[in-house]
Amino acid sequence: FGQGITVNSRSSVEITLNRQCTSFSARAGVDGLSLLTDGTVRFSVYADGQRLWRSDPLGYGDAPAAVQVPLAGRSTLRLVVEQAGQGHLPTLASWADAVISCR
């Protein structure tokens, strides 16, 4: 993917929205550098503390999940990745082609 945010399989990234934003979109999936991992992850999107979206468990080789959530009237965005299964190696998770649309 051309752009995005790659994180470890247990992460939380919080973004303070400093203007009127309308939506967040991305493709959430396991990074290609996790070729040897056997773990799965689950992605969640929160705004102002409320979960707006959650993926099914995803592992290496699974197609990324399309993310599209509304942000109108929200002041914070939090992107969370959690382990969804037992894995022996760390899994890199990517919020690929991530875009926050604002006015």
Side-chain angles (χ1 to χ4, degrees), residues 6-93:
T6 299
V7 295
N8 201 339
S9 54
R10 287 186 182 152
S11 73
S12 177
V13 176
E14 186 161 332
I15 300 162
T16 300
L17 305 172
N18 61 0
R19 63 185 90 164
Q20 294 289 328
C21 295
T22 56
S23 66
F24 170 75
S25 63
R27 290 187 283 168
V30 174
D31 192 278
L33 293 175
S34 292
L35 176 63
L36 300 177
T37 190
D38 57 354
T40 57
V41 297
R42 185 183 308 270
F43 295 81
S44 298
V45 178
Y46 293 79
D48 294 344
Q50 178 183 11
R51 187 171 64 205
L52 302 179
W53 180 86
R54 185 177 187 192
S55 74
D56 290 333
L58 297 170
Y60 180 81
D62 291 337
V67 182
Q68 180 71 40
V69 296
L71 294 178
R74 307 291 185 152
S75 59
T76 63
L77 170 68
R78 187 165 59 106
L79 308 177
V80 176
V81 179
E82 301 169 298
Q83 289 184 314
Q86 298 299 320
H88 296 90
L89 297 171
T91 303
L92 295 176

